């Protein structure tokens, strides 16, 4: 993806039917700065891009709701908020690695992370891709994919890949198992090995591998299956599709509990205020975000696990 073109398309898409002059004034500028942004003569900073989103009725924080970040205290329309976002996306990644992935100097990356300078909008897009592989998700959360020619093909490919998770629920576990050191240590792929490790029928192994290969999520290197560095986030799917996938993993948890498998199967039936129930919901969301951050930084890959967390009112 060309981050510069994508940035210009995002500004144009968010502007909608407004004139460039009208949006410039809405942002507090006396000159037609939006024209210079869309024409490529100048470029907005990262916080200015978020201001464009906010001033056109969007929610910058909501665009990052499925990312492993906590933004309750951050104002993304400010340089400080952008620095907080970058710091959280960075996780445990070394500054030198951030710089290398984004094609900037270590000094520049360090200043971004300390809030001493601010990346341009295109640099922020490059950062998001380098640190999460999900810049397409981010862009589509800000504007319709039809309004973003730069991401249209990638979005269609992502949609196809996400559908694999719903049509073949075990494919995500198969994918994670391929990333483990035990599988990579095999002299070559052994049919049925993945199924035995996950305790699923061999037919699920075969169907999942075929679907993953068709979607470009795995490739055969002549000896074994290799995974591609692509993040497939199912949170962008419809409620009905996500519900089916959640039910699958609830059923798996129930089956493992009935079998007496090792694991943490906890519950707590409590009475509390409606206000505190909402606080618990917030804790639930933050737990899942923290889980993703920990997993993203975890090395080596040795075991595949399921975190099946539930919170609901009984009334």
């Amino acid at each position: 993806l060309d981050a510069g073109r994508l940035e210009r398309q995002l500004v144009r898409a968010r502007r909608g039917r407004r004139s460039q002059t009208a949006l410039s004034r809405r942002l507090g500028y006396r000159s037609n700065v939006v024209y210079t942004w869309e024409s490529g003569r100048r470029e907005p900073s990262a916080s200015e891009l978020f201001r464009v989103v906010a001033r056109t009725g969007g929610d910058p924080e909501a665009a990052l709701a499925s990312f492993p970040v906590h933004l309750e205290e951050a104002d993304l329309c400010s340089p400080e908020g952008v620095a907080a976002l970058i710091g959280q996306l960075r996780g445990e990644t070394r500054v030198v690695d951030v710089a290398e992935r984004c094609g900037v100097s270590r000094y520049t990356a360090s200043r971004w992370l300390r809030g001493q300078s601010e990346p341009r909008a295109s640099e922020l897009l490059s950062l998001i891709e380098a640190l999460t592989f999900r810049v397409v998700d981010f862009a589509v959360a800000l504007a319709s994919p039809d309004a973003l020619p730069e991401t249209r093909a990638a979005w269609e490919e992502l949609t196809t890949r996400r559908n694999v998770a719903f049509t073949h629920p075990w494919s995500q576990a198969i994918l994670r198992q391929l990333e483990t050191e035990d599988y990579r240590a095999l002299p070559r792929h052994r049919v049925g090995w993945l199924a035995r490790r996950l305790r699923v029928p061999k037919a699920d192994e075969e169907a999942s591998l075929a679907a993953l290969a068709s979607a470009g999520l795995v490739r055969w290197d002549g000896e074994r299956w290799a995974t591609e560095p692509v993040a497939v986030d199912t949170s962008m799917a419809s409620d009905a599709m996500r519900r089916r996938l959640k039910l699958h993993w609830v059923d798996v948890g129930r089956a493992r509990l009935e079998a007496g498998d090792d694991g943490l199967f906890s519950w707590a039936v409590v009475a509390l205020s409606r206000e505190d129930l909402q606080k618990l919901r917030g804790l639930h969301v933050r737990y899942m975000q923290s889980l993703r951050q920990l997993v993203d930084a975890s090395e080596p890959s040795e075991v595949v696990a399921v975190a099946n967390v539930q919170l609901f009112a009984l009334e």
Side-chain angles (χ1 to χ4, degrees), residues 148-200:
L148 304 173
E150 189 64 24
T151 64
R152 192 173 297 145
W155 176 248
E156 291 175 356
E157 185 177 58
L158 265 179
T159 301
T160 299
R161 290 174 171 178
R162 286 193 172 113
N163 286 337
V164 173
F166 298 101
T167 56
H168 301 278
W170 279 108
S171 65
Q172 298 307 293
I174 294 287
L175 194 59
R176 300 287 79 82
Q177 191 68 59
L178 293 175
E179 296 170 352
T180 63
E181 294 207 325
D182 284 351
Y183 177 78
R184 292 175 177 176
L186 292 175
R188 61 180 295 112
H189 177 78
R190 294 205 300 264
V191 176
W193 186 91
L194 297 167
R196 287 191 297 275
R197 286 291 290 251
L198 297 170
R199 290 163 52 197
V200 301

Side-chain angles (χ1 to χ4, degrees), residues 152-310:
R152 192 173 297 145
W155 176 248
E156 291 175 356
E157 185 177 58
L158 265 179
T159 301
T160 299
R161 290 174 171 178
R162 286 193 172 113
N163 286 337
V164 173
F166 298 101
T167 56
H168 301 278
W170 279 108
S171 65
Q172 298 307 293
I174 294 287
L175 194 59
R176 300 287 79 82
Q177 191 68 59
L178 293 175
E179 296 170 352
T180 63
E181 294 207 325
D182 284 351
Y183 177 78
R184 292 175 177 176
L186 292 175
R188 61 180 295 112
H189 177 78
R190 294 205 300 264
V191 176
W193 186 91
L194 297 167
R196 287 191 297 275
R197 286 291 290 251
L198 297 170
R199 290 163 52 197
V200 301
K202 188 185 294 186
D204 283 328
E205 173 188 313
E206 296 171 351
S208 293
L209 284 173
L212 290 168
S214 178
L217 289 167
V218 299
R219 57 180 171 79
W220 180 253
D221 66 7
E223 297 290 339
R224 64 184 63 79
W225 292 101
T227 60
E228 296 293 336
V230 179
V232 181
D233 177 28
T234 56
S235 66
M236 305 291 284
S238 70
D239 289 342
M241 294 175 73
R242 295 180 67 224
R243 189 177 300 115
R244 289 198 299 272
L245 195 55
K246 290 175 183 178
L247 285 170
H248 166 79
W249 292 113
V250 168
D251 290 341
V252 171
R254 177 185 174 88
R256 298 297 167 96
L257 177 59
E258 287 182 336
D261 284 8
D262 184 33
L264 297 176
F265 300 93
S266 308
W267 80 96
V269 181
V270 299
L272 72 170
S273 68
R274 296 185 186 279
E275 180 181 353
D276 285 337
L277 176 60
Q278 292 306 308
K279 291 179 181 178
L280 277 183
R281 291 175 65 89
L283 287 173
H284 177 102
V285 172
R286 288 193 291 276
Y287 166 73
M288 293 304 294
Q289 290 173 331
S290 297
L291 181 151
R292 293 190 185 101
Q293 284 186 322
L294 185 150
V295 169
D296 288 345
S298 181
E299 292 182 357
S301 295
E302 296 174 319
V303 63
V304 179
V306 176
N308 215 355
V309 187
Q310 301 175 11

Side-chain angles (χ1 to χ4, degrees), residues 9-14 53 136-148 151:
Q9 291 169 10
L10 280 169
V11 173
R12 175 64 188 89
R14 293 302 315 180
V53 175
V136 174
D137 280 335
F138 174 72
V140 171
L142 296 179
S144 166
D146 292 335
L148 304 173
T151 64

Side-chain angles (χ1 to χ4, degrees), residues 6-12 14 27 29 37 43-56 60 76-77 82 118-122 124-125 128 138 142:
L6 179 55
E7 166 264 313
R8 293 191 291 275
Q9 291 169 10
L10 280 169
V11 173
R12 175 64 188 89
R14 293 302 315 180
L27 293 170
Y29 295 100
W37 292 346
E43 186 175 340
S45 66
S47 61
E48 284 175 319
L49 176 62
F50 285 124
R51 284 183 62 223
V52 169
V53 175
R55 290 290 184 172
T56 55
L76 292 176
C77 298
V82 170
E118 185 182 359
R120 297 190 301 268
S122 64
L124 174 67
L125 296 173
I128 291 174
F138 174 72
L142 296 179

